[in-house]
Amino acid sequence: MYIKQIIIQGFKSYKEQTVIEPFSPKHNVIVGRNGSGKSNFFAAIRFVLSDAYTQMGREERQALLHEGTGPAVMSAYVEIIFDNSDERFPTGKPELILRRTIGLKKDEYSLDRKNATKSDVMNLLESAGFSRSNPYYIVPQGRVTALTNMKDAERLTLLKEVAGTQVYEARRTESLKLMTETNNKSAKIDELLAYIKDRLSELEEEKEELRDYQDKDRERRCLQYTIDHREQVAIANELDNLDEQRQNGVDDTDDNRDRFIQGEKELADIDTEIRELKQQVEFLIVDKKQLEAERKDTAKSKAKTELDLKALSDGLSAAQQRKAQFEQELQSLQNSAHQHEVELAQITPDFHKRQEEEAAIKSSLDSADATRQRLYAKQGRNAGFRNKRERDEWLRKEIDETYPQLAKIKAVRMQTTEEIVELENEISMIDSQLTTLRAQFDLRGASNDNMLEQIQTAKAEKDRLMDERKELWREEAKLSSVLANAQREFMQADRALSYRMDQNTSRGLAAVRRIKLQHGLDGVFGTLAELMEVNEIYRTAVEVTAGNSLFHYVVDNDETASKVLEILQRERAGRITFMPLNRLKSKSANVPKANDAIPIIEKIKFDSRYQMAFEQVFGKTVICPNLTIAAQYARSHQVNAITMEGDSSDRKGALTGGYHDPRQSRLDAVRNVTKWRGERDSHESRAKEIRHILEQKDQEITRAVGELQKLEQTRQKQESSYGPLRQEIHSKVISLQNSRDALDAKTRARATIDANVKALTDQQTAHDAEMNSEFKKSLTQDEETQLENLSSTVQDLRRQYSEVSARRSELETRKSTLEIELRENLRPRLEQLSVNDFERLDGGAQRTLKDSQKDLKRIDKSMQTVEAKLRDMDGAVEKFNAQISELEQQHTETRRQQEDIAKGIERQQKRMEKSIQKKALLAKQAAEVSSRIRDLGVLPQEAFAKFEKTKSEAIVKRLHKVNEALKKYSHVNKKAFQQYDQFTNQRDTLTKRRNELDSSQASIEELITVLDQRKDEAIERTFKQVSREFATVFEKLVPAGKGRLVIQRKTDRQQAEEEDSAEEQRESVENYTGVGISVSFNSKHDDQQRIQQLSGGQKSLCALALVFAIQRCDPAPFYLFDEIDANLDAQYRTAVAQMLQSISQATENDGQFICTTFRPEMLLVAEKCYGVRFVGKNSTVSAVSREDAMEFVQGERQ
């Protein structure tokens, strides 16, 4: 474990955060100028790890904070990061981060970024090897000088500290303190025991006098009890008689009251039933008015439909006559067109065949005639040439002239071919379009039928939506009446509830409900009365128990209550008591567990989240069968008790009761208000819903009407589009015929071009063959023969061509005649007739007639339904009116009976009041007698039977005598027995405590002896270890010398030296006076010198040897040395540096050194060097190389 990194901020000269590069686990050296902050760096480490900065005042805290220009530093912290890879700190982590933060008013520690106490930090450091008794792992400036100048006695004190004798001294002092306290307690106990002994002697005499007094007093209490008991029995008998009389009257009153309550319920039920029947009559009247209006509208629709139906029937007869003529003419045209098409289909293949034969014969004729013409030309041409060369030149010239003509003709043929392809594509496209247009034209009837069906569907949908809207209007009208009645009942119930509470509360409740809705306060739940459900049996008891708390408002927290109260105060809208659930605290009540005591809260149904509010009001109340039992439980269990009738007894003994009029029940009033408010809100919600649905229906009807209009417009457009469609078909037919004519012309032109190309090609071939032949003035024999044959062939071909051409011309003429007849006459006439499609027109009229008939049937059915409903309504109204009359008669009879019952109850109530007054007087007397009996205290067993048969006069006389005899015992000590027992117990306790103190004092004396012995052993053991290590360390630092520690005693104070302390016999430490240092720097055998006789450098070396010896006896994880080599000579500085190097290299995990120096010797053995700089009143620490550190040290020395 070693210091890995240090972070400083705001501490002394380190204003800004200084993060020091990780230290080496071995030897680290820090250099810097005086005043740069080296000592402050060591002070920062001591600030965290040692006890040097504890219990500081404000000025001392201020001194630790950075002082300079700029913003004031309010707090500082030093953070040390330890490498804990060896788990020396028991944290289980590889690192430990320890931070201390200080300010003017705070001083905090933290471990691994978590807050910790100083004791936790110090215990953790001690567990890792940081000993408080040996603070020499940190050696600041001046510590070596202080050791050098230390006296022998001070050196002995240092040795005791290292040995840990402070623990023994503290425990010894504490033991002596306990011994003193024990002696003081023993003296006080002795004084108390002497006083108790004297007091017990006095109490022995008082006990005898007290026995005589108790005998007389026992007889007095027996006599007094007999008198009081007889009076109590007489009063009880009288009360029983009154209770019996009262019970009989109560029973009669209860019967009358039950009959009266039942009568009131019957009256209320009758009133409710009458209101409901009247409301039903109103509903029926409203429905009847709407149905009559609907019947009137339906009658108008029926008359209009009947007129339309008659007009359609008359028009349909004339249309059927025109339809017959139309069908005859259409059939004639269709037959003629069919005949022409059949004949055209038969002629067309023969025509094409003749045309192909004509073209083949024409081609053969042209070829033979061209060959013959070439032979004639050759025959006449050869006579004009003198030799072959002239002939060939002429032929070459002819061939060359033929090439441009041939290329031009081929280009024309190519263009003609492209035009033919374009015409064929155009014909195909027009033909396809024409087919589509004719299909559309042919399907116009089906399209019209489909459109009419859509129109009928749209009309049906519109009618359905309008019927639904009528139903909604009817329901809205009915709901308006219901809502008005509910609002009226609610206002009446609300007024009745307002009469049962004060005006401020009534206004406050209304305001709270309004505020809840306006501000959306979900945490405002309601009053207790609104949040509970109670059986009618327990209603009176619950209402009396709660009182005005019924109208306390339950909210979720006090914040909600405060918000509502602020609004109430601002609006001056009444007063309300709120019950915030987060503030209510339930206190457990001592509720009796018995069959005749039922907790009232168990009979109330409410939501569990309101438990605290209901416990606050009902938690300490029980229901009892009668007032007597209620009073007993109220006294015995400190609870409030109440009967089913509402008579109550509270914990203080007060009794409350009397008649509770159920007609004035506030719970019923709240329930009634809640009921009608719910119905009103429900009806209002339904009314809003119906209005919303009506708006939607209006929109749907508007959309349906719009859709119907769109369909009608589409149908009209469709009807009007047939003329343009026919015109377009006619135009396409003409265009198609023109394209076909153009195609025929182009085809013939291409055939002519092909013949010309063949002729020129054959001419070129013949000229090439002639150039390759011999030159002769005449034709060869073969050519002569060929010429003769060609002449006969040409004549035959011309004859065949004439015959085929005549046949082809005849067919072409007939074909043209048929096509013109179809195109110009028959097809246009058929198309014209198709436009005036009587069948379609007749079908539309028939469909319109059928639709009108359907409408008429639907209207008749609707009329029948309306008439049936009106008849049912008339019957229902008569029935309801009869029931209303019957109920009103019943209501009058019941009201008369109620008045008779009320008079009887009033008479009985007056008799009961007199009986209650007498009973109250007797109850008061009985309470007084019971109080006198209780004052007698615990009576002996003989008191209940001893004077039972004695007359009352004799008992009174004897009681007078006993009271006279008791007067002489007025001075008697009535607590003599009790005091005697108390003093006896106290004497025994003090005696036991005195023995315990004697035993404790012996144990303390034994502990002091053991502590003295252990302290002596620790000091001697430590001295031996330090002395041995001092000799070893001194020998390493001064190889030619020798050193040792010398113990000094009182007996040999005059002696200059003592024998080696390791060879001395053990004596008491109290005989030690000091520890001296005896060394020799030149020889191991010369006389040694005391430290006072040495030079300054030698003294510092001895002091360092003592520090190293102490550290070796009690090793620490790391060591901090601040300029320990400042006063040493060069050779001793080298020796100290080598020793530090050997310690750091020899130690595996411990032994880290962090030193400051101005000397080069320690830099030579350091593993890592750091430099401290002071710039702008701020110190910084950074790692430097050994060369830079050496250069700095050399510069400082110069």
Side-chain angles (χ1 to χ4, degrees), residues 620-868:
K620 297 181 180 179
T621 304
V622 295
I623 301 176
C624 299
N626 53 62
L627 192 58
T628 303
I629 297 176
Q632 292 176 358
Y633 281 120
R635 288 193 302 270
S636 61
H637 291 76
Q638 291 297 303
V639 295
N640 297 326
I642 192 167
T643 64
M644 304 284 280
E645 294 78 17
D647 299 336
S648 63
S649 173
D650 61 14
R651 289 169 288 177
K652 298 179 181 179
L655 300 177
T656 305
Y659 174 68
H660 186 82
D661 190 352
R663 293 174 297 176
Q664 301 298 322
S665 171
R666 289 186 286 183
L667 280 177
D668 283 348
V670 171
R671 190 179 307 161
N672 203 23
V673 168
T674 304
K675 170 191 172 184
W676 287 111
R677 182 188 294 114
E679 290 193 12
R680 183 199 63 182
D681 295 342
S682 175
H683 294 325
E684 286 181 348
S685 176
R686 178 56 182 166
K688 291 180 181 178
E689 182 181 356
I690 289 175
R691 286 194 291 271
H692 179 67
I693 295 174
L694 279 172
E695 292 176 358
Q696 292 180 343
K697 288 298 178 185
D698 290 340
Q699 295 174 0
E700 291 177 3
I701 290 172
T702 303
R703 286 195 296 269
V705 172
E707 187 67 23
L708 181 60
Q709 292 175 352
K710 288 181 182 178
L711 291 174
E712 292 287 353
Q713 293 174 0
T714 304
R715 178 173 169 274
Q716 293 176 2
K717 290 180 180 179
Q718 200 173 49
E719 292 290 342
S720 61
S721 67
Y722 291 142
L725 183 61
R726 186 183 69 253
Q727 186 64 33
E728 187 176 0
I729 291 173
H730 181 68
S731 175
K732 293 291 183 182
V733 169
I734 295 173
S735 177
L736 179 62
Q737 187 60 40
N738 293 336
S739 297
R740 286 175 178 172
D741 294 342
L743 180 61
D744 291 341
K746 291 294 182 180
T747 302
R748 290 192 297 270
R750 187 174 65 178
T752 303
I753 292 170
D754 289 341
N756 292 335
V757 170
K758 186 176 184 302
L760 289 174
T761 302
D762 292 344
Q763 184 178 351
Q764 284 182 346
T765 303
H767 287 338
D768 287 337
E770 186 177 354
M771 287 177 63
N772 294 327
S773 64
E774 295 179 359
F775 177 74
K776 292 182 178 181
K777 293 291 187 177
S778 62
L779 296 174
T780 61
Q781 185 64 37
D782 293 337
E783 290 174 345
E784 291 288 345
T785 304
Q786 183 181 7
L787 184 60
E788 292 177 359
N789 293 334
L790 286 173
S791 296
S792 60
T793 302
V794 167
Q795 291 177 358
D796 292 339
L797 290 173
R798 283 178 177 171
R799 180 181 53 80
Q800 292 177 9
Y801 178 74
S802 296
E803 294 175 356
V804 171
S805 179
R807 180 59 182 163
R808 188 266 309 161
S809 178
E810 182 182 352
L811 291 174
E812 185 176 6
T813 300
R814 182 58 183 166
K815 176 175 173 291
S816 298
T817 302
L818 292 172
E819 288 177 347
I820 290 171
E821 180 68 16
L822 284 171
R823 184 172 63 249
E824 300 295 337
N825 184 19
L826 296 177
R827 285 177 179 167
R829 181 59 182 160
L830 281 173
E831 291 174 359
Q832 184 177 3
L833 290 177
S834 297
V835 174
N836 301 321
D837 192 347
F838 271 87
E839 183 179 359
R840 177 174 55 83
L841 293 175
D842 181 58
Q846 289 181 355
R847 279 192 295 271
T848 305
L849 182 62
K850 291 179 179 179
D851 292 339
S852 298
Q853 291 173 350
K854 289 180 180 178
D855 290 341
L856 185 58
K857 290 181 179 178
R858 179 178 58 80
I859 292 171
D860 288 338
K861 185 176 180 181
S862 177
M863 283 284 291
Q864 293 174 2
T865 304
V866 171
E867 292 291 347

Side-chain angles (χ1 to χ4, degrees), residues 42 498 587 856:
F42 276 92
S498 300
K587 297 181 180 179
L856 185 58

Side-chain angles (χ1 to χ4, degrees), residues 418-431:
E418 292 176 355
E419 291 176 353
I420 289 172
V421 172
E422 290 178 358
L423 286 171
E424 289 176 349
N425 292 335
E426 184 178 355
I427 290 170
S428 176
M429 182 181 66
I430 294 173
D431 196 13

Side-chain angles (χ1 to χ4, degrees), residues 170-385:
R171 294 186 65 183
R172 190 175 189 278
T173 302
E174 184 179 356
S175 299
L176 290 173
K177 183 179 179 181
L178 289 175
M179 183 180 291
T180 302
E181 293 176 355
T182 302
N183 292 333
N184 294 335
K185 290 178 181 178
S186 299
K188 290 182 180 180
I189 290 173
D190 292 340
E191 293 177 3
L192 288 174
L193 287 174
Y195 169 75
I196 290 172
K197 183 178 180 181
D198 297 339
R199 184 61 181 148
L200 287 175
S201 300
E202 296 174 359
L203 290 173
E204 284 289 347
E205 298 176 358
E206 294 176 358
K207 282 167 61 179
E208 294 298 328
E209 187 178 12
L210 180 61
R211 286 191 184 94
D212 296 337
Y213 169 79
Q214 287 178 344
D215 293 339
K216 295 292 183 181
D217 184 67
R218 186 181 303 110
E219 185 179 1
R220 179 191 67 80
R221 288 188 291 123
C222 291
L223 293 169
Q224 186 66 47
Y225 171 75
T226 302
I227 295 172
D228 293 338
H229 178 65
R230 289 179 179 179
E231 184 179 357
Q232 188 179 39
V233 170
I235 294 173
N237 293 332
E238 186 67 21
L239 286 172
D240 290 340
N241 293 331
L242 288 175
D243 285 338
E244 185 177 356
Q245 295 174 4
R246 178 178 178 276
Q247 188 61 40
N248 294 332
V250 167
D251 292 341
D252 294 338
T253 303
D254 289 342
D255 292 341
N256 290 331
R257 185 182 294 117
D258 292 341
R259 288 168 55 199
F260 185 81
I261 293 172
Q262 185 63 31
E264 291 294 322
K265 289 182 179 179
E266 290 178 1
L267 287 175
D269 294 340
I270 291 172
D271 289 337
T272 302
E273 192 171 353
I274 290 174
R275 284 195 302 271
E276 291 177 353
L277 289 173
K278 288 183 178 180
Q279 189 175 17
Q280 292 295 329
V281 171
E282 292 176 0
F283 292 161
L284 291 173
I285 293 173
V286 171
D287 289 345
K288 183 178 179 180
K289 290 179 179 179
Q290 292 179 349
L291 287 173
E292 288 176 348
E294 185 176 351
R295 180 174 62 180
K296 184 176 180 181
D297 294 338
T298 306
K300 292 180 180 179
S301 299
K302 180 179 179 181
K304 183 177 180 301
T305 305
E306 287 176 347
L307 291 174
D308 294 340
L309 185 62
K310 185 177 183 306
L312 288 172
S313 300
D314 296 340
L316 186 61
S317 300
Q320 289 177 351
Q321 294 177 0
R322 293 194 300 272
K323 177 183 177 184
Q325 298 175 359
F326 170 78
E327 289 179 350
Q328 184 178 359
E329 185 180 358
L330 182 63
Q331 184 65 36
S332 176
L333 286 173
Q334 288 177 347
N335 293 336
S336 178
H338 180 68
Q339 291 174 1
H340 282 69
E341 288 173 353
V342 170
E343 185 179 358
L344 184 62
Q346 292 174 355
I347 291 174
T348 300
D350 193 15
F351 168 73
H352 289 308
K353 181 179 179 182
R354 296 299 179 181
Q355 196 175 29
E356 290 174 359
E357 289 179 0
E358 182 182 10
I361 293 172
K362 183 68 169 61
S363 177
S364 299
L365 177 60
D366 291 342
S367 177
D369 190 41
T371 302
R372 189 180 66 170
Q373 292 297 329
R374 283 195 299 273
L375 289 175
Y376 281 134
K378 180 179 179 182
Q379 184 178 10
R381 186 172 60 243
N382 286 340
F385 299 121

Side-chain angles (χ1 to χ4, degrees), residues 283 474-486 687 691:
F283 292 161
R474 192 175 295 116
E475 184 178 356
E476 184 182 22
K478 185 187 299 182
L479 196 59
S480 298
S481 177
V482 175
L483 183 58
N485 180 65
R691 286 194 291 271

